[in-house]
Amino acid sequence: MNNQYEYFEKSLTPGIAKKLIQELFAGQIVQKQEIMRVVEETHQKRDGLPSQAQHNNPVTLALYNMRREGEASNPDKSANWLIPSRTQDDDSVDPEHNNLDLEPEKIIGFGKQSVYLYYYPTHRRLAELEGEEVWACKIGRAKNDPLTRISSQTRTALPEDPKVGLIIKTDEFVLMEKTLQGILKLQGKHKQDAPGTEWFITSPSEVEQIYKNNFENS
């Protein structure tokens, strides 16, 4: 018996499921069925009790609650869930992530500041398998080095590094970021169930075209 377990002889609830999801899957992209199986098995192996719920599975409820609170996401409503280790929005860099392969796929524009777009390759592959040309991408801004900014946000133990799809150099990074994000929101492409507010269902080429239409000749 594991009476040192915090939830010893307690029935599985959404709150307990959330704690186990974060413990077992932080920094991973995992299918929902696998999350359910592992959480339920782990809870019972530690001498927790099965759920008493008659209808809603506590793991499913935990995932949906986490998505609403920005603590998990399922890109493009797929069966795969991204469980971030933590969400941070500062410019400090963890030394162990200085060696991330963040070479941008494309750099355009001119200026000392930047607007950047990055994504996770798994999101792109899932979209392409479904015949889609857009996927979950983050659009943000950096006053100084954009790669330092991106590294500070992606220092978690994810199974893959992000891909920097586009960097736009500018001297008006606040205006450009707000314009690009605003246009995508008007197009209904804001990903509201993602951690943070800067995720959109788009692509580097689509954002580049928006930039060209609104800034290149201005």
Side-chain angles (χ1 to χ4, degrees):
M1 298 180 66
N2 184 13
N3 56 13
Q4 299 300 313
Y5 178 44
E6 183 179 0
Y7 306 112
F8 174 70
E9 292 189 344
K10 292 185 179 180
S11 298
L12 185 63
T13 64
I16 295 173
K18 174 182 175 180
K19 293 287 186 66
L20 290 172
I21 291 169
Q22 292 174 324
E23 172 193 342
L24 298 167
F25 298 105
Q28 298 183 44
I29 298 173
V30 195
Q31 286 196 341
K32 178 183 173 182
Q33 291 300 320
E34 179 69 4
I35 295 174
M36 294 174 65
R37 182 186 68 79
V38 173
V39 167
E40 291 169 356
E41 287 183 358
T42 299
H43 182 62
Q44 293 185 43
K45 283 180 180 178
R46 295 177 179 179
D47 294 313
L49 301 177
S51 169
Q52 299 298 312
Q54 297 296 315
H55 302 290
N56 296 319
N57 184 284
V59 180
T60 297
L61 288 176
L63 286 169
Y64 291 156
N65 290 339
M66 291 170 68
R67 182 177 66 184
R68 186 179 64 248
E69 295 165 4
E71 298 174 325
S73 66
N74 59 324
D76 308 323
K77 306 298 183 182
S78 71
N80 292 280
W81 284 76
L82 171 63
I83 313 298
S85 293
R86 55 184 173 178
T87 300
Q88 295 196 2
D89 194 26
D90 57 51
D91 287 319
S92 59
V93 180
D94 191 330
E96 70 180 61
H97 277 71
N98 285 338
N99 60 351
L100 283 179
D101 179 13
L102 295 179
E103 182 176 353
E105 295 174 349
K106 193 168 188 178
I107 301 175
I108 59 177
F110 301 93
K112 297 180 180 179
Q113 304 163 346
S114 303
V115 172
Y116 58 79
L117 176 152
Y118 71 79
Y119 61 88
Y120 291 100
T122 295
H123 296 178
R124 180 172 185 171
R125 288 194 296 270
L126 289 171
E128 291 175 343
L129 285 172
E130 296 176 0
E132 300 291 339
E133 297 181 350
V134 291
W135 57 91
C137 299
K138 180 164 184 176
I139 299 172
R141 67 177 188 256
K143 185 175 182 180
N144 299 305
D145 178 17
L147 300 184
T148 298
R149 179 72 169 174
I150 293 168
S151 180
S152 74
Q153 298 174 10
T154 58
R155 70 180 84 186
T156 61
L158 289 169
E160 60 180 353
D161 292 344
K163 289 292 184 181
V164 182
L166 182 66
I167 288 179
I168 306 174
K169 306 300 292 183
T170 178
D171 287 321
E172 297 183 350
F173 71 144
V174 175
L175 172 63
M176 184 175 291
E177 180 200 43
K178 290 185 178 298
T179 299
L180 295 174
Q181 291 183 355
I183 290 172
L184 289 169
K185 286 179 180 179
L186 287 173
Q187 294 175 347
K189 297 189 174 186
H190 185 216
K191 188 166 173 53
Q192 298 183 350
D193 60 347
T197 61
E198 300 179 330
W199 288 88
F200 300 85
I201 303 301
T202 184
S203 69
S205 59
E206 185 174 69
V207 172
E208 180 180 356
Q209 189 59 53
I210 295 174
Y211 160 76
K212 288 180 178 179
N213 293 342
N214 292 272
F215 289 98
E216 198 166 60
N217 298 316
S218 60

